[in-house]
Amino acid sequence: MSRFIRIQPRDNVAVALEPLKAGETVLGVSLLEDIPAGHKFALTDIAENENIVKYGFPIGHATLPIPAGSWVHTHNVKTNLSGLLEYSYHPHPCAMPLDRRATFEGYVRKDGRVGIRNEVWIVNTVGCVNGTAKTLERMAQEAYGDRVDGIHCFVHPYGCSQLGEDHKNTQKLLASMVRHPNAGAGLVLSLGCENNNVNEFKKVLGEYDPDRVKFLITQDVEDEVEAGMRLLNELTAYAAQFKRQTVSASELVIGLKCGGSDGLSGITANPLLGSTSDLLARHGGTTLLTEVPEMFGAETILMDRCKDEATFRKAVDLINNFKEYFIRHGQEVYENPSPGNKAGGITTLEDKSLGCTQKGGTAEVRDVLNYCDPVTEKGLNLVQGPGNDLCAITALMASGAQMVLFTTGRGTPVGAPIPTVKVATNTPLAEKKRNWIDFNAGVLAQGADMEETTEAFFKKLLSIASGEKTQSESGNAQPGRIGRPLSPAKKNAVRVIADCCITGRSGFLQDLDPAIPRRKGSCLPADGARIRLRVVKAAGMRYIRI
């Protein structure tokens, strides 16, 4: 077992796989100070402003001279990233052969899609009915839970008092949940007077099977719990008709995510997910990669793997739209990694991104999806979504992922509406948090073979797809809420508190497009009415006074 690794021959730093002591000789270099596990040390003298090279790419530059054997981290390294970039397409052929034929036991839906769970989901149109949804979830699980794999509701505070694209994204997200193949049936639970009322929501949902999807407007019935239980009785009976059957692994759609990353994430667990993504592509399956801000600094690697120039242009827009969103809101584009990432050995955003994007393997990028767009291309797809764990997992689910592979070096119990497979980057975490971790990629740092580990991991995923519960499912970590829908990155949107003289109400914190027509008697003035806008600043924030 090696105690350190030089990832690429051209790297001028190496990474400690376990704590190293000052005075030890490593790769011909005498260490000048203790090096924590996951952290970097210089293999040669590095001059001030010289690039620090890891993974074969610059991850920043030295802010002062760094002698060989020194600890290389935030105290002597700074990012090279700044502002927007111009990109050009340099295609790198990397299509995977379709030469594998694995199967799993899944649920084939009437529309031909395949689920890996047969659950009944309670989907709220608005946060006002969260309490009712939780009551129905508990009572229905006790009464009808033995018919299906589970009955779940997912609370959220949205569905009313939202504007423009923010409101539309909420509707698109909830509609994607109603259509999700892991849900054998679904109850859409509404208050009745919300912006996202049933009639409006049906416009976004489109065609649906009335046997599979039922609607309940709580304001329209005397006892919403009794009415809800009656509908859930019908829905669980409908879902119970689906039985597992043998299907091709090409039907799998798997999301790729990391959180609580450390210095080993880009050495063990993320490369394992990349190798698994490539293997699934060889079976004709699909993987989804998100966390767009954590592609910054490594985005050109993905761009050059796009299948054609049109897909490349979509990837450029994906990256630049996120950067422009940060800039318009006065945020530092490259204010990353997190304190926990830094404690684990990740120094700059380039360092984090070059490790993060390894989850996408080496396969061709087949498509780039906007938030909540359903996946249609087999193979690797990029998905619009942030780095936040719950929001990113939600975006992956909304595009059709049946499960999410989640790598972590520091550990997290986070779950999702879909099975969440936790992969530890290091063995100590896997041994300490057995109730969180499903697979230990730390064995790769201990000399395990990548190909053999990939095959073992893929076999585990086929078992999970066939019904084996993940730790998050077994430990009831499947959350009762979904991540925040992605806010729009519109050029004319500003962060405001609206002080509306029409209603006399104030304190609304929202993304407001001044061009939106407003109706009298609500927070929106009359259609076509002129409104006076005055932009002021207070306590470092921008306000619009209406």
Side-chain angles (χ1 to χ4, degrees):
M1 170 186 167
S2 178
R3 302 173 60 224
F4 49 83
I5 183 172
R6 184 180 194 171
I7 301 171
Q8 293 292 336
R10 65 186 298 253
D11 292 355
N12 57 10
V13 295
V15 179
L17 298 180
E18 61 181 54
L20 302 176
K21 292 293 185 181
E24 291 189 56
T25 299
V26 179
L27 293 173
V29 174
S30 179
L31 299 181
L32 302 181
E33 50 196 312
D34 292 348
I35 309 298
H39 286 247
K40 299 173 286 296
F41 57 92
L43 295 174
T44 184
D45 291 341
I46 302 173
E48 183 176 358
N49 294 320
E50 183 179 347
N51 280 335
I52 309 298
V53 181
K54 181 184 175 186
Y55 302 111
F57 296 91
I59 63 166
H61 63 272
T63 57
L64 48 83
I66 303 176
S70 298
W71 181 31
V72 178
H73 200 35
T74 53
H75 60 289
N76 53 16
V77 179
K78 185 177 180 180
T79 180
N80 289 333
L81 301 176
S82 63
L84 301 178
L85 299 176
E86 294 290 334
Y87 300 100
S88 56
Y89 184 38
H90 304 286
H92 175 65
C94 48
M96 289 287 164
L98 295 174
D99 58 357
R100 302 293 291 268
R101 294 290 183 272
T103 61
F104 70 99
E105 301 299 307
Y107 297 98
V108 180
R109 306 302 180 191
K110 289 185 177 180
D111 63 2
R113 295 192 302 163
V114 176
I116 66 170
R117 296 292 182 267
N118 191 37
E119 299 172 339
V120 172
W121 288 2
I122 303 169
V123 179
N124 302 356
T125 61
V126 67
C128 305
V129 293
N130 284 341
T132 303
K134 294 293 288 183
T135 298
L136 288 171
E137 175 191 54
R138 175 179 53 80
M139 293 179 62
Q141 187 64 44
E142 292 174 356
Y144 315 125
D146 59 345
R147 299 177 179 176
V148 291
D149 292 339
I151 301 169
H152 302 291
C153 75
F154 306 101
V155 301
H156 62 85
Y158 313 113
C160 205
S161 302
Q162 290 178 283
L163 300 174
E165 292 300 313
D166 196 38
H167 179 62
K168 290 178 181 177
N169 278 342
T170 294
Q171 293 180 306
K172 288 167 61 179
L173 168 59
L174 297 176
S176 75
M177 297 186 71
V178 174
R179 292 190 292 260
H180 200 281
N182 282 8
L187 173 63
V188 178
L189 188 65
S190 166
L191 179 61
C193 59
E194 65 271 25
N195 288 14
N196 186 33
N197 58 70
V198 165
N199 287 336
E200 292 300 314
F201 181 64
K202 283 182 176 180
K203 296 176 184 178
V204 180
L205 179 62
E207 293 185 6
Y208 64 92
D209 180 348
D211 292 327
R212 179 183 175 275
V213 181
K214 306 288 185 182
F215 298 85
L216 174 59
I217 302 172
T218 58
Q219 289 176 341
D220 289 354
V221 295
E222 182 176 353
D223 187 333
E224 64 276 11
V225 173
E226 180 183 347
M229 288 295 290
R230 185 169 58 252
L231 292 175
L232 287 167
N233 181 24
E234 296 174 13
L235 291 168
T236 52
Y238 171 84
Q241 69 180 300
F242 293 100
K243 306 298 180 184
R244 290 192 182 273
Q245 54 186 284
T246 302
V247 292
S248 167
S250 64
E251 298 294 338
L252 284 175
V253 182
I254 295 181
L256 308 172
K257 175 75 180 81
C258 56
S261 300
D262 68 356
L264 295 184
S265 294
I267 297 171
T268 59
N270 288 353
L272 174 62
L273 261 61
S275 178
T276 303
S277 176
D278 289 349
L279 179 57
L280 183 58
R282 293 172 60 187
H283 285 84
T286 305
T287 51
L288 307 176
L289 179 66
T290 188
E291 301 179 277
V292 176
E294 294 172 16
M295 297 176 187
F296 297 168
E299 66 268 39
T300 57
I301 299 172
L302 294 170
M303 290 175 179
D304 289 346
R305 285 163 45 195
C306 289
K307 67 176 183 180
D308 54 32
E309 189 156 0
T311 308
F312 162 75
R313 292 296 173 193
K314 291 168 73 173
V316 170
D317 288 343
L318 178 73
I319 296 296
N320 280 341
N321 285 346
F322 250 98
K323 290 182 179 180
E324 289 170 356
Y325 181 78
F326 284 129
I327 292 169
R328 283 195 300 276
H329 287 79
Q331 299 299 309
E332 176 59 53
V333 175
Y334 304 109
E335 192 175 312
N336 205 335
S338 71
N341 295 152
K342 293 174 183 177
I346 298 173
T347 301
T348 62
L349 182 53
E350 298 102 306
D351 192 358
K352 186 173 184 177
S353 294
L354 285 163
C356 176
T357 54
Q358 290 193 55
K359 300 192 302 292
T362 62
E364 186 176 65
V365 175
R366 299 292 301 167
D367 201 1
V368 179
L369 306 176
N370 289 323
Y371 185 71
C372 291
D373 281 356
V375 63
T376 58
E377 289 272 357
K378 299 286 189 178
L380 176 65
N381 293 253
L382 307 184
V383 177
Q384 183 187 30
N388 176 273
D389 291 347
L390 278 176
C391 293
I393 291 173
T394 298
L396 294 168
M397 173 197 65
S399 285
Q402 303 142 331
M403 75 168 84
V404 170
L405 313 185
F406 192 113
T407 70
T408 182
R410 304 185 66 78
T412 174
V414 67
I418 53 180
T420 306
V421 183
K422 299 290 175 47
V423 183
T425 70
N426 60 86
T427 297
L429 173 64
E431 293 177 346
K432 178 183 178 182
K433 304 300 290 186
R434 296 179 187 275
N435 59 322
W436 289 358
I437 301 301
D438 296 285
F439 194 87
N440 178 24
V443 296
L444 292 167
Q446 300 168 303
D449 178 75
M450 175 61 82
E451 185 175 351
E452 292 177 359
T453 305
T454 300
E455 292 289 348
F457 185 50
F458 192 73
K459 183 178 179 181
K460 173 80 170 178
L461 298 183
L462 293 176
S463 295
I464 291 171
S466 299
E468 177 185 330
K469 286 189 175 182
T470 63
Q471 291 294 341
S472 63
E473 290 175 293
S474 300
N476 199 31
Q478 190 167 13
R481 67 181 298 127
I482 54 177
R484 191 192 192 288
L486 189 68
S487 294
K490 294 181 67 177
K491 292 185 178 180
N492 57 354
V494 294
R495 202 53 144 178
V496 305
I497 291 179
D499 183 1
C500 186
C501 62
I502 292 177
T503 63
R505 298 164 66 185
S506 62
F508 296 96
L509 184 62
Q510 56 202 5
D511 282 322
L512 178 67
D513 183 345
I516 294 175
R518 301 186 153 239
R519 296 187 303 273
K520 188 174 180 179
S522 71
C523 294
L524 302 173
D527 291 345
R530 295 191 177 188
I531 57 176
R532 235 176 244 266
L533 302 178
R534 182 165 62 90
V535 179
V536 297
K537 287 193 74 174
M541 294 181 64
R542 282 194 302 170
Y543 292 80
I544 285 185
R545 192 171 297 282
I546 302 174

